[in-house]
Amino acid sequence: MKKVVLAYSGGLDTSIIIPWLKENYGYEVIAMAADVGQGEELEPLNEKAIKTGASKLYIEDLKEEFVTDYIYPTLKAGAVYEGKYLLGTSFARPIIAKRLVEIAKKEGAEAIAHGATGKGNDQVRFELTIKALAPEMKIVAPWRIWDIKSREQAVDYANERNIPVPVTKERPYSMDRNLWHLSHEGADLEDPANEPKNDLYMLIVPPEKAPDKPTYVEIEFEQGIPVAVDGKKLAPVQMIETLNEIAGANGVGIDDIVENRMVGMKSRGVYETPGGTVLYKAHRELELLTLDRKTLHYKDLVAQQYAELVYDGMWFHPLREAIDAFVDVTQKTVTGKVKLKLYKGSCTPAGTTSPYSLYNEAFATFGEDEVYNQKDAEGFINLFGLPLKVQALMKKESGLE
């Protein structure tokens, strides 16, 4: 019997895909559940997967690798998609697909299957990773070929086969959770005119219900990597978990986004990214103190390209790796401490220090100084503005004015 390895979460889609693959392809189905910090007990999935028809289930703990090899490089790059989205689902897919490929090769499987829909981005992210790491591997994407056309029909399919599912027709939100974020899509959120309901949030306290007193948190970085919170050294996974708790309790990290999907449509999602929001803010403040103007501005351009690569599922593209090399050079001086003030959803800087600070009070002061000759600015302005002056004279002499 030929084998297929399925990206399995125990949710609605992947639960019904197991019997569907057996019924329509005759495959032996090997399931793989990736623990990227979704905060739920994965062990019960083993019994569920077997009862649903899988021959075995791999439960893979990928949290540490997820933080160090995917989250931190993206953080250092300062990559934010369309100015708001901190890429929580985007960089979780390639690490899962990478492990799927490894297991498929180990098991001698001829194919890999996933439960991403034909309307979404995840199908691209899974499949581009598979193509990059195992170009010979077959890919089965049921949502693009089966007769099921909606979540409601999927629930009916599951009920007909006595498969328990975690969603109902009454609450059909699509959620994706990992260590970095929790996303919400569907139902009333499909109309951008609808404000998210307060009971939607699971990681973050609604800002108006957050404490009336601000919370201060200090984050220490070494070469762009967060290493300590309030003076306590933390391992990568513990770092994200700790900041999720602190920021979430203060209502920080909610983003309501209408984004441009790769497949051409706009979609609306509400994202909870508490710890990530704090880390991005702190990292940016430290870069503003330690990077020179040209490097900072060029890095901002690179960050947009990096974000698009990650969003588009091109994690294993050579350009992403090349940008990482550039970013690593810029981060050599991004070392120091950033204090942030968290208050009812806001996250504002409250002090930054670094041994590599480029801020020099002697030059920047509005008081009297002995290091800066203000008369020098006149010559600089004359030379810097010369092209504008020459163009204005030409227009005047040629009558173009």
PDB file of all heavy atoms in Angstrom, residues 150-187:
ATOM      1  N   SER A 150     -17.822  23.773   1.448  1.00  0.00           N
ATOM      2  CA  SER A 150     -17.975  24.721   2.547  1.00  0.00           C
ATOM      3  C   SER A 150     -17.649  24.044   3.878  1.00  0.00           C
ATOM      4  O   SER A 150     -17.572  22.815   3.963  1.00  0.00           O
ATOM      5  CB  SER A 150     -19.407  25.261   2.600  1.00  0.00           C
ATOM      6  OG  SER A 150     -20.316  24.227   2.970  1.00  0.00           O
ATOM      7  N   ARG A 151     -17.485  24.850   4.910  1.00  0.00           N
ATOM      8  CA  ARG A 151     -17.253  24.327   6.251  1.00  0.00           C
ATOM      9  C   ARG A 151     -18.467  23.511   6.718  1.00  0.00           C
ATOM     10  O   ARG A 151     -18.316  22.487   7.378  1.00  0.00           O
ATOM     11  CB  ARG A 151     -17.000  25.479   7.241  1.00  0.00           C
ATOM     12  CG  ARG A 151     -15.778  26.320   6.925  1.00  0.00           C
ATOM     13  CD  ARG A 151     -14.485  25.602   7.193  1.00  0.00           C
ATOM     14  NE  ARG A 151     -13.324  26.461   6.939  1.00  0.00           N
ATOM     15  CZ  ARG A 151     -12.073  26.039   6.918  1.00  0.00           C
ATOM     16  NH1 ARG A 151     -11.811  24.761   7.113  1.00  0.00           N
ATOM     17  NH2 ARG A 151     -11.080  26.859   6.684  1.00  0.00           N
ATOM     18  N   GLU A 152     -19.646  23.977   6.362  1.00  0.00           N
ATOM     19  CA  GLU A 152     -20.852  23.280   6.778  1.00  0.00           C
ATOM     20  C   GLU A 152     -20.906  21.867   6.180  1.00  0.00           C
ATOM     21  O   GLU A 152     -21.272  20.901   6.858  1.00  0.00           O
ATOM     22  CB  GLU A 152     -22.092  24.079   6.365  1.00  0.00           C
ATOM     23  CG  GLU A 152     -22.292  25.377   7.145  1.00  0.00           C
ATOM     24  CD  GLU A 152     -21.366  26.505   6.700  1.00  0.00           C
ATOM     25  OE1 GLU A 152     -20.746  26.381   5.622  1.00  0.00           O
ATOM     26  OE2 GLU A 152     -21.233  27.492   7.435  1.00  0.00           O
ATOM     27  N   GLN A 153     -20.548  21.755   4.895  1.00  0.00           N
ATOM     28  CA  GLN A 153     -20.519  20.447   4.255  1.00  0.00           C
ATOM     29  C   GLN A 153     -19.448  19.556   4.871  1.00  0.00           C
ATOM     30  O   GLN A 153     -19.617  18.338   4.980  1.00  0.00           O
ATOM     31  CB  GLN A 153     -20.289  20.591   2.752  1.00  0.00           C
ATOM     32  CG  GLN A 153     -21.456  21.198   2.004  1.00  0.00           C
ATOM     33  CD  GLN A 153     -21.184  21.328   0.511  1.00  0.00           C
ATOM     34  OE1 GLN A 153     -20.236  20.756  -0.014  1.00  0.00           O
ATOM     35  NE2 GLN A 153     -22.033  22.097  -0.164  1.00  0.00           N
ATOM     36  N   ALA A 154     -18.343  20.170   5.285  1.00  0.00           N
ATOM     37  CA  ALA A 154     -17.278  19.403   5.931  1.00  0.00           C
ATOM     38  C   ALA A 154     -17.763  18.833   7.268  1.00  0.00           C
ATOM     39  O   ALA A 154     -17.451  17.690   7.628  1.00  0.00           O
ATOM     40  CB  ALA A 154     -16.048  20.285   6.142  1.00  0.00           C
ATOM     41  N   VAL A 155     -18.535  19.643   8.018  1.00  0.00           N
ATOM     42  CA  VAL A 155     -19.105  19.163   9.278  1.00  0.00           C
ATOM     43  C   VAL A 155     -20.046  17.993   9.018  1.00  0.00           C
ATOM     44  O   VAL A 155     -20.043  16.981   9.746  1.00  0.00           O
ATOM     45  CB  VAL A 155     -19.835  20.313  10.009  1.00  0.00           C
ATOM     46  CG1 VAL A 155     -20.624  19.772  11.196  1.00  0.00           C
ATOM     47  CG2 VAL A 155     -18.844  21.376  10.482  1.00  0.00           C
ATOM     48  N   ASP A 156     -20.850  18.105   7.978  1.00  0.00           N
ATOM     49  CA  ASP A 156     -21.770  17.012   7.632  1.00  0.00           C
ATOM     50  C   ASP A 156     -20.994  15.743   7.283  1.00  0.00           C
ATOM     51  O   ASP A 156     -21.363  14.635   7.707  1.00  0.00           O
ATOM     52  CB  ASP A 156     -22.648  17.419   6.445  1.00  0.00           C
ATOM     53  CG  ASP A 156     -23.654  18.492   6.816  1.00  0.00           C
ATOM     54  OD1 ASP A 156     -23.967  18.617   8.026  1.00  0.00           O
ATOM     55  OD2 ASP A 156     -24.114  19.210   5.909  1.00  0.00           O
ATOM     56  N   TYR A 157     -19.911  15.877   6.519  1.00  0.00           N
ATOM     57  CA  TYR A 157     -19.081  14.730   6.130  1.00  0.00           C
ATOM     58  C   TYR A 157     -18.530  14.037   7.380  1.00  0.00           C
ATOM     59  O   TYR A 157     -18.512  12.803   7.476  1.00  0.00           O
ATOM     60  CB  TYR A 157     -17.945  15.208   5.226  1.00  0.00           C
ATOM     61  CG  TYR A 157     -17.057  14.120   4.664  1.00  0.00           C
ATOM     62  CD1 TYR A 157     -17.277  13.584   3.399  1.00  0.00           C
ATOM     63  CD2 TYR A 157     -15.965  13.632   5.388  1.00  0.00           C
ATOM     64  CE1 TYR A 157     -16.454  12.588   2.870  1.00  0.00           C
ATOM     65  CE2 TYR A 157     -15.137  12.646   4.877  1.00  0.00           C
ATOM     66  CZ  TYR A 157     -15.391  12.130   3.624  1.00  0.00           C
ATOM     67  OH  TYR A 157     -14.569  11.142   3.108  1.00  0.00           O
ATOM     68  N   ALA A 158     -18.065  14.854   8.345  1.00  0.00           N
ATOM     69  CA  ALA A 158     -17.513  14.300   9.584  1.00  0.00           C
ATOM     70  C   ALA A 158     -18.591  13.582  10.392  1.00  0.00           C
ATOM     71  O   ALA A 158     -18.366  12.478  10.913  1.00  0.00           O
ATOM     72  CB  ALA A 158     -16.874  15.405  10.408  1.00  0.00           C
ATOM     73  N   ASN A 159     -19.750  14.202  10.497  1.00  0.00           N
ATOM     74  CA  ASN A 159     -20.834  13.596  11.276  1.00  0.00           C
ATOM     75  C   ASN A 159     -21.276  12.261  10.684  1.00  0.00           C
ATOM     76  O   ASN A 159     -21.613  11.325  11.421  1.00  0.00           O
ATOM     77  CB  ASN A 159     -22.011  14.562  11.354  1.00  0.00           C
ATOM     78  CG  ASN A 159     -21.729  15.778  12.230  1.00  0.00           C
ATOM     79  OD1 ASN A 159     -20.882  15.716  13.116  1.00  0.00           O
ATOM     80  ND2 ASN A 159     -22.421  16.873  11.982  1.00  0.00           N
ATOM     81  N   GLU A 160     -21.280  12.166   9.358  1.00  0.00           N
ATOM     82  CA  GLU A 160     -21.674  10.915   8.703  1.00  0.00           C
ATOM     83  C   GLU A 160     -20.727   9.772   9.050  1.00  0.00           C
ATOM     84  O   GLU A 160     -21.109   8.598   9.005  1.00  0.00           O
ATOM     85  CB  GLU A 160     -21.704  11.121   7.188  1.00  0.00           C
ATOM     86  CG  GLU A 160     -22.851  12.008   6.712  1.00  0.00           C
ATOM     87  CD  GLU A 160     -22.681  12.426   5.263  1.00  0.00           C
ATOM     88  OE1 GLU A 160     -21.706  11.965   4.619  1.00  0.00           O
ATOM     89  OE2 GLU A 160     -23.524  13.210   4.766  1.00  0.00           O
ATOM     90  N   ARG A 161     -19.486  10.100   9.393  1.00  0.00           N
ATOM     91  CA  ARG A 161     -18.476   9.090   9.704  1.00  0.00           C
ATOM     92  C   ARG A 161     -18.160   9.059  11.195  1.00  0.00           C
ATOM     93  O   ARG A 161     -17.142   8.494  11.608  1.00  0.00           O
ATOM     94  CB  ARG A 161     -17.217   9.344   8.877  1.00  0.00           C
ATOM     95  CG  ARG A 161     -17.447   9.016   7.389  1.00  0.00           C
ATOM     96  CD  ARG A 161     -16.466   9.747   6.482  1.00  0.00           C
ATOM     97  NE  ARG A 161     -16.729   9.405   5.084  1.00  0.00           N
ATOM     98  CZ  ARG A 161     -17.721   9.933   4.358  1.00  0.00           C
ATOM     99  NH1 ARG A 161     -18.538  10.825   4.911  1.00  0.00           N
ATOM    100  NH2 ARG A 161     -17.900   9.576   3.098  1.00  0.00           N
ATOM    101  N   ASN A 162     -18.985   9.729  11.982  1.00  0.00           N
ATOM    102  CA  ASN A 162     -18.821   9.754  13.445  1.00  0.00           C
ATOM    103  C   ASN A 162     -17.462  10.281  13.873  1.00  0.00           C
ATOM    104  O   ASN A 162     -16.836   9.774  14.808  1.00  0.00           O
ATOM    105  CB  ASN A 162     -19.053   8.353  14.034  1.00  0.00           C
ATOM    106  CG  ASN A 162     -20.468   7.853  13.805  1.00  0.00           C
ATOM    107  OD1 ASN A 162     -21.431   8.597  14.006  1.00  0.00           O
ATOM    108  ND2 ASN A 162     -20.599   6.608  13.370  1.00  0.00           N
ATOM    109  N   ILE A 163     -17.002  11.305  13.167  1.00  0.00           N
ATOM    110  CA  ILE A 163     -15.720  11.931  13.499  1.00  0.00           C
ATOM    111  C   ILE A 163     -16.001  13.192  14.317  1.00  0.00           C
ATOM    112  O   ILE A 163     -16.660  14.115  13.829  1.00  0.00           O
ATOM    113  CB  ILE A 163     -14.938  12.308  12.225  1.00  0.00           C
ATOM    114  CG1 ILE A 163     -14.622  11.049  11.408  1.00  0.00           C
ATOM    115  CG2 ILE A 163     -13.652  13.056  12.586  1.00  0.00           C
ATOM    116  CD1 ILE A 163     -14.023  11.361  10.039  1.00  0.00           C
ATOM    117  N   PRO A 164     -15.528  13.267  15.561  1.00  0.00           N
ATOM    118  CA  PRO A 164     -15.745  14.475  16.366  1.00  0.00           C
ATOM    119  C   PRO A 164     -14.940  15.647  15.802  1.00  0.00           C
ATOM    120  O   PRO A 164     -13.788  15.491  15.406  1.00  0.00           O
ATOM    121  CB  PRO A 164     -15.242  14.079  17.761  1.00  0.00           C
ATOM    122  CG  PRO A 164     -14.277  12.967  17.507  1.00  0.00           C
ATOM    123  CD  PRO A 164     -14.782  12.219  16.301  1.00  0.00           C
ATOM    124  N   VAL A 165     -15.543  16.815  15.753  1.00  0.00           N
ATOM    125  CA  VAL A 165     -14.858  17.996  15.215  1.00  0.00           C
ATOM    126  C   VAL A 165     -14.972  19.135  16.217  1.00  0.00           C
ATOM    127  O   VAL A 165     -15.945  19.235  16.960  1.00  0.00           O
ATOM    128  CB  VAL A 165     -15.463  18.419  13.861  1.00  0.00           C
ATOM    129  CG1 VAL A 165     -15.162  17.387  12.798  1.00  0.00           C
ATOM    130  CG2 VAL A 165     -16.967  18.645  13.972  1.00  0.00           C
ATOM    131  N   PRO A 166     -13.990  20.032  16.248  1.00  0.00           N
ATOM    132  CA  PRO A 166     -13.948  21.090  17.258  1.00  0.00           C
ATOM    133  C   PRO A 166     -14.736  22.333  16.892  1.00  0.00           C
ATOM    134  O   PRO A 166     -14.722  23.300  17.627  1.00  0.00           O
ATOM    135  CB  PRO A 166     -12.450  21.414  17.333  1.00  0.00           C
ATOM    136  CG  PRO A 166     -11.948  21.142  15.949  1.00  0.00           C
ATOM    137  CD  PRO A 166     -12.750  19.975  15.449  1.00  0.00           C
ATOM    138  N   VAL A 167     -15.409  22.341  15.736  1.00  0.00           N
ATOM    139  CA  VAL A 167     -16.193  23.510  15.365  1.00  0.00           C
ATOM    140  C   VAL A 167     -17.618  23.079  15.076  1.00  0.00           C
ATOM    141  O   VAL A 167     -17.889  21.911  14.822  1.00  0.00           O
ATOM    142  CB  VAL A 167     -15.615  24.215  14.117  1.00  0.00           C
ATOM    143  CG1 VAL A 167     -14.240  24.750  14.386  1.00  0.00           C
ATOM    144  CG2 VAL A 167     -15.608  23.285  12.909  1.00  0.00           C
ATOM    145  N   THR A 168     -18.524  24.021  15.117  1.00  0.00           N
ATOM    146  CA  THR A 168     -19.923  23.747  14.810  1.00  0.00           C
ATOM    147  C   THR A 168     -20.399  24.736  13.763  1.00  0.00           C
ATOM    148  O   THR A 168     -19.739  25.742  13.480  1.00  0.00           O
ATOM    149  CB  THR A 168     -20.801  23.895  16.064  1.00  0.00           C
ATOM    150  OG1 THR A 168     -20.792  25.277  16.458  1.00  0.00           O
ATOM    151  CG2 THR A 168     -20.288  23.028  17.198  1.00  0.00           C
ATOM    152  N   LYS A 169     -21.553  24.465  13.208  1.00  0.00           N
ATOM    153  CA  LYS A 169     -22.118  25.391  12.226  1.00  0.00           C
ATOM    154  C   LYS A 169     -22.482  26.717  12.885  1.00  0.00           C
ATOM    155  O   LYS A 169     -22.532  27.755  12.236  1.00  0.00           O
ATOM    156  CB  LYS A 169     -23.354  24.772  11.583  1.00  0.00           C
ATOM    157  CG  LYS A 169     -23.053  23.542  10.722  1.00  0.00           C
ATOM    158  CD  LYS A 169     -24.318  22.965  10.124  1.00  0.00           C
ATOM    159  CE  LYS A 169     -24.026  21.727   9.305  1.00  0.00           C
ATOM    160  NZ  LYS A 169     -25.254  21.128   8.722  1.00  0.00           N
ATOM    161  N   GLU A 170     -22.702  26.700  14.200  1.00  0.00           N
ATOM    162  CA  GLU A 170     -23.079  27.918  14.913  1.00  0.00           C
ATOM    163  C   GLU A 170     -21.873  28.811  15.191  1.00  0.00           C
ATOM    164  O   GLU A 170     -22.011  30.013  15.359  1.00  0.00           O
ATOM    165  CB  GLU A 170     -23.763  27.562  16.243  1.00  0.00           C
ATOM    166  CG  GLU A 170     -25.152  26.949  16.091  1.00  0.00           C
ATOM    167  CD  GLU A 170     -25.096  25.510  15.589  1.00  0.00           C
ATOM    168  OE1 GLU A 170     -24.111  24.810  15.938  1.00  0.00           O
ATOM    169  OE2 GLU A 170     -25.996  25.098  14.844  1.00  0.00           O
ATOM    170  N   ARG A 171     -20.685  28.250  15.265  1.00  0.00           N
ATOM    171  CA  ARG A 171     -19.479  29.050  15.521  1.00  0.00           C
ATOM    172  C   ARG A 171     -18.369  28.588  14.571  1.00  0.00           C
ATOM    173  O   ARG A 171     -17.433  27.884  14.967  1.00  0.00           O
ATOM    174  CB  ARG A 171     -19.032  28.899  16.984  1.00  0.00           C
ATOM    175  CG  ARG A 171     -17.840  29.786  17.342  1.00  0.00           C
ATOM    176  CD  ARG A 171     -17.464  29.672  18.821  1.00  0.00           C
ATOM    177  NE  ARG A 171     -16.191  30.296  19.095  1.00  0.00           N
ATOM    178  CZ  ARG A 171     -16.000  31.597  19.250  1.00  0.00           C
ATOM    179  NH1 ARG A 171     -17.022  32.420  19.152  1.00  0.00           N
ATOM    180  NH2 ARG A 171     -14.810  32.079  19.500  1.00  0.00           N
ATOM    181  N   PRO A 172     -18.443  29.024  13.344  1.00  0.00           N
ATOM    182  CA  PRO A 172     -17.507  28.523  12.333  1.00  0.00           C
ATOM    183  C   PRO A 172     -16.248  29.370  12.146  1.00  0.00           C
ATOM    184  O   PRO A 172     -15.762  29.528  11.024  1.00  0.00           O
ATOM    185  CB  PRO A 172     -18.369  28.559  11.063  1.00  0.00           C
ATOM    186  CG  PRO A 172     -19.253  29.750  11.260  1.00  0.00           C
ATOM    187  CD  PRO A 172     -19.515  29.841  12.745  1.00  0.00           C
ATOM    188  N   TYR A 173     -15.721  29.956  13.226  1.00  0.00           N
ATOM    189  CA  TYR A 173     -14.473  30.713  13.090  1.00  0.00           C
ATOM    190  C   TYR A 173     -13.336  29.778  12.695  1.00  0.00           C
ATOM    191  O   TYR A 173     -13.231  28.649  13.177  1.00  0.00           O
ATOM    192  CB  TYR A 173     -14.095  31.391  14.413  1.00  0.00           C
ATOM    193  CG  TYR A 173     -14.911  32.622  14.744  1.00  0.00           C
ATOM    194  CD1 TYR A 173     -15.709  32.645  15.876  1.00  0.00           C
ATOM    195  CD2 TYR A 173     -14.866  33.737  13.934  1.00  0.00           C
ATOM    196  CE1 TYR A 173     -16.462  33.768  16.196  1.00  0.00           C
ATOM    197  CE2 TYR A 173     -15.607  34.868  14.239  1.00  0.00           C
ATOM    198  CZ  TYR A 173     -16.401  34.881  15.367  1.00  0.00           C
ATOM    199  OH  TYR A 173     -17.142  35.991  15.670  1.00  0.00           O
ATOM    200  N   SER A 174     -12.486  30.278  11.830  1.00  0.00           N
ATOM    201  CA  SER A 174     -11.259  29.570  11.497  1.00  0.00           C
ATOM    202  C   SER A 174     -10.134  30.201  12.297  1.00  0.00           C
ATOM    203  O   SER A 174      -9.885  31.406  12.176  1.00  0.00           O
ATOM    204  CB  SER A 174     -10.976  29.673   9.991  1.00  0.00           C
ATOM    205  OG  SER A 174      -9.737  29.079   9.676  1.00  0.00           O
ATOM    206  N   MET A 175      -9.469  29.408  13.127  1.00  0.00           N
ATOM    207  CA  MET A 175      -8.409  29.946  13.977  1.00  0.00           C
ATOM    208  C   MET A 175      -7.114  29.185  13.748  1.00  0.00           C
ATOM    209  O   MET A 175      -7.116  27.988  13.492  1.00  0.00           O
ATOM    210  CB  MET A 175      -8.804  29.848  15.453  1.00  0.00           C
ATOM    211  CG  MET A 175     -10.011  30.680  15.833  1.00  0.00           C
ATOM    212  SD  MET A 175     -10.333  30.651  17.619  1.00  0.00           S
ATOM    213  CE  MET A 175     -10.789  28.941  17.846  1.00  0.00           C
ATOM    214  N   ASP A 176      -6.024  29.909  13.833  1.00  0.00           N
ATOM    215  CA  ASP A 176      -4.701  29.292  13.769  1.00  0.00           C
ATOM    216  C   ASP A 176      -3.876  29.850  14.921  1.00  0.00           C
ATOM    217  O   ASP A 176      -3.730  31.075  15.047  1.00  0.00           O
ATOM    218  CB  ASP A 176      -3.999  29.592  12.445  1.00  0.00           C
ATOM    219  CG  ASP A 176      -2.590  29.001  12.412  1.00  0.00           C
ATOM    220  OD1 ASP A 176      -2.472  27.778  12.263  1.00  0.00           O
ATOM    221  OD2 ASP A 176      -1.618  29.764  12.569  1.00  0.00           O
ATOM    222  N   ARG A 177      -3.363  28.943  15.757  1.00  0.00           N
ATOM    223  CA  ARG A 177      -2.608  29.390  16.922  1.00  0.00           C
ATOM    224  C   ARG A 177      -1.230  28.744  16.944  1.00  0.00           C
ATOM    225  O   ARG A 177      -1.062  27.574  16.607  1.00  0.00           O
ATOM    226  CB  ARG A 177      -3.352  29.025  18.211  1.00  0.00           C
ATOM    227  CG  ARG A 177      -2.649  29.501  19.478  1.00  0.00           C
ATOM    228  CD  ARG A 177      -3.493  29.257  20.712  1.00  0.00           C
ATOM    229  NE  ARG A 177      -2.825  29.731  21.924  1.00  0.00           N
ATOM    230  CZ  ARG A 177      -3.365  29.716  23.134  1.00  0.00           C
ATOM    231  NH1 ARG A 177      -4.592  29.247  23.300  1.00  0.00           N
ATOM    232  NH2 ARG A 177      -2.690  30.169  24.178  1.00  0.00           N
ATOM    233  N   ASN A 178      -0.257  29.542  17.332  1.00  0.00           N
ATOM    234  CA  ASN A 178       1.071  29.022  17.631  1.00  0.00           C
ATOM    235  C   ASN A 178       1.682  29.891  18.720  1.00  0.00           C
ATOM    236  O   ASN A 178       1.007  30.751  19.296  1.00  0.00           O
ATOM    237  CB  ASN A 178       1.945  28.949  16.365  1.00  0.00           C
ATOM    238  CG  ASN A 178       2.124  30.297  15.680  1.00  0.00           C
ATOM    239  OD1 ASN A 178       2.394  31.313  16.320  1.00  0.00           O
ATOM    240  ND2 ASN A 178       1.965  30.309  14.357  1.00  0.00           N
ATOM    241  N   LEU A 179       2.939  29.655  19.013  1.00  0.00           N
ATOM    242  CA  LEU A 179       3.606  30.384  20.087  1.00  0.00           C
ATOM    243  C   LEU A 179       3.596  31.888  19.856  1.00  0.00           C
ATOM    244  O   LEU A 179       3.561  32.678  20.803  1.00  0.00           O
ATOM    245  CB  LEU A 179       5.053  29.882  20.203  1.00  0.00           C
ATOM    246  CG  LEU A 179       5.869  30.309  21.413  1.00  0.00           C
ATOM    247  CD1 LEU A 179       5.244  29.779  22.689  1.00  0.00           C
ATOM    248  CD2 LEU A 179       7.301  29.799  21.281  1.00  0.00           C
ATOM    249  N   TRP A 180       3.593  32.304  18.600  1.00  0.00           N
ATOM    250  CA  TRP A 180       3.736  33.710  18.229  1.00  0.00           C
ATOM    251  C   TRP A 180       2.399  34.459  18.199  1.00  0.00           C
ATOM    252  O   TRP A 180       2.327  35.618  18.569  1.00  0.00           O
ATOM    253  CB  TRP A 180       4.408  33.793  16.875  1.00  0.00           C
ATOM    254  CG  TRP A 180       4.805  35.150  16.380  1.00  0.00           C
ATOM    255  CD1 TRP A 180       4.293  35.803  15.290  1.00  0.00           C
ATOM    256  CD2 TRP A 180       5.835  36.017  16.895  1.00  0.00           C
ATOM    257  NE1 TRP A 180       4.932  36.999  15.102  1.00  0.00           N
ATOM    258  CE2 TRP A 180       5.884  37.156  16.070  1.00  0.00           C
ATOM    259  CE3 TRP A 180       6.710  35.932  17.975  1.00  0.00           C
ATOM    260  CZ2 TRP A 180       6.778  38.205  16.291  1.00  0.00           C
ATOM    261  CZ3 TRP A 180       7.603  36.969  18.196  1.00  0.00           C
ATOM    262  CH2 TRP A 180       7.622  38.087  17.359  1.00  0.00           C
ATOM    263  N   HIS A 181       1.328  33.771  17.736  1.00  0.00           N
ATOM    264  CA  HIS A 181       0.080  34.508  17.556  1.00  0.00           C
ATOM    265  C   HIS A 181      -1.144  33.586  17.541  1.00  0.00           C
ATOM    266  O   HIS A 181      -1.026  32.358  17.554  1.00  0.00           O
ATOM    267  CB  HIS A 181       0.142  35.319  16.258  1.00  0.00           C
ATOM    268  CG  HIS A 181      -0.336  34.575  15.047  1.00  0.00           C
ATOM    269  ND1 HIS A 181      -0.795  35.208  13.923  1.00  0.00           N
ATOM    270  CD2 HIS A 181      -0.426  33.242  14.760  1.00  0.00           C
ATOM    271  CE1 HIS A 181      -1.158  34.326  13.018  1.00  0.00           C
ATOM    272  NE2 HIS A 181      -0.949  33.139  13.494  1.00  0.00           N
ATOM    273  N   LEU A 182      -2.303  34.225  17.478  1.00  0.00           N
ATOM    274  CA  LEU A 182      -3.573  33.529  17.271  1.00  0.00           C
ATOM    275  C   LEU A 182      -4.373  34.345  16.270  1.00  0.00           C
ATOM    276  O   LEU A 182      -4.603  35.546  16.469  1.00  0.00           O
ATOM    277  CB  LEU A 182      -4.349  33.403  18.592  1.00  0.00           C
ATOM    278  CG  LEU A 182      -5.782  32.869  18.508  1.00  0.00           C
ATOM    279  CD1 LEU A 182      -5.823  31.471  17.921  1.00  0.00           C
ATOM    280  CD2 LEU A 182      -6.444  32.895  19.876  1.00  0.00           C
ATOM    281  N   SER A 183      -4.790  33.706  15.176  1.00  0.00           N
ATOM    282  CA  SER A 183      -5.556  34.405  14.144  1.00  0.00           C
ATOM    283  C   SER A 183      -7.012  33.960  14.171  1.00  0.00           C
ATOM    284  O   SER A 183      -7.324  32.824  14.536  1.00  0.00           O
ATOM    285  CB  SER A 183      -4.960  34.138  12.756  1.00  0.00           C
ATOM    286  OG  SER A 183      -5.107  32.773  12.405  1.00  0.00           O
ATOM    287  N   HIS A 184      -7.894  34.872  13.764  1.00  0.00           N
ATOM    288  CA  HIS A 184      -9.326  34.602  13.688  1.00  0.00           C
ATOM    289  C   HIS A 184      -9.834  35.064  12.324  1.00  0.00           C
ATOM    290  O   HIS A 184      -9.583  36.205  11.913  1.00  0.00           O
ATOM    291  CB  HIS A 184     -10.095  35.371  14.774  1.00  0.00           C
ATOM    292  CG  HIS A 184      -9.555  35.215  16.152  1.00  0.00           C
ATOM    293  ND1 HIS A 184     -10.006  34.244  17.023  1.00  0.00           N
ATOM    294  CD2 HIS A 184      -8.591  35.901  16.823  1.00  0.00           C
ATOM    295  CE1 HIS A 184      -9.351  34.356  18.179  1.00  0.00           C
ATOM    296  NE2 HIS A 184      -8.489  35.354  18.077  1.00  0.00           N
ATOM    297  N   GLU A 185     -10.571  34.188  11.652  1.00  0.00           N
ATOM    298  CA  GLU A 185     -11.162  34.540  10.364  1.00  0.00           C
ATOM    299  C   GLU A 185     -12.556  33.908  10.272  1.00  0.00           C
ATOM    300  O   GLU A 185     -12.864  32.962  10.980  1.00  0.00           O
ATOM    301  CB  GLU A 185     -10.301  34.042   9.196  1.00  0.00           C
ATOM    302  CG  GLU A 185      -8.944  34.721   9.076  1.00  0.00           C
ATOM    303  CD  GLU A 185      -8.135  34.186   7.921  1.00  0.00           C
ATOM    304  OE1 GLU A 185      -8.207  32.969   7.660  1.00  0.00           O
ATOM    305  OE2 GLU A 185      -7.431  34.986   7.270  1.00  0.00           O
ATOM    306  N   GLY A 186     -13.358  34.430   9.353  1.00  0.00           N
ATOM    307  CA  GLY A 186     -14.657  33.836   9.075  1.00  0.00           C
ATOM    308  C   GLY A 186     -15.800  34.435   9.871  1.00  0.00           C
ATOM    309  O   GLY A 186     -15.626  35.361  10.673  1.00  0.00           O
ATOM    310  N   ALA A 187     -17.004  33.884   9.626  1.00  0.00           N
ATOM    311  CA  ALA A 187     -18.238  34.302  10.300  1.00  0.00           C
ATOM    312  C   ALA A 187     -18.450  35.808  10.182  1.00  0.00           C
ATOM    313  O   ALA A 187     -18.314  36.373   9.107  1.00  0.00           O
ATOM    314  CB  ALA A 187     -18.212  33.834  11.754  1.00  0.00           C
TER     315      ALA A 187
END
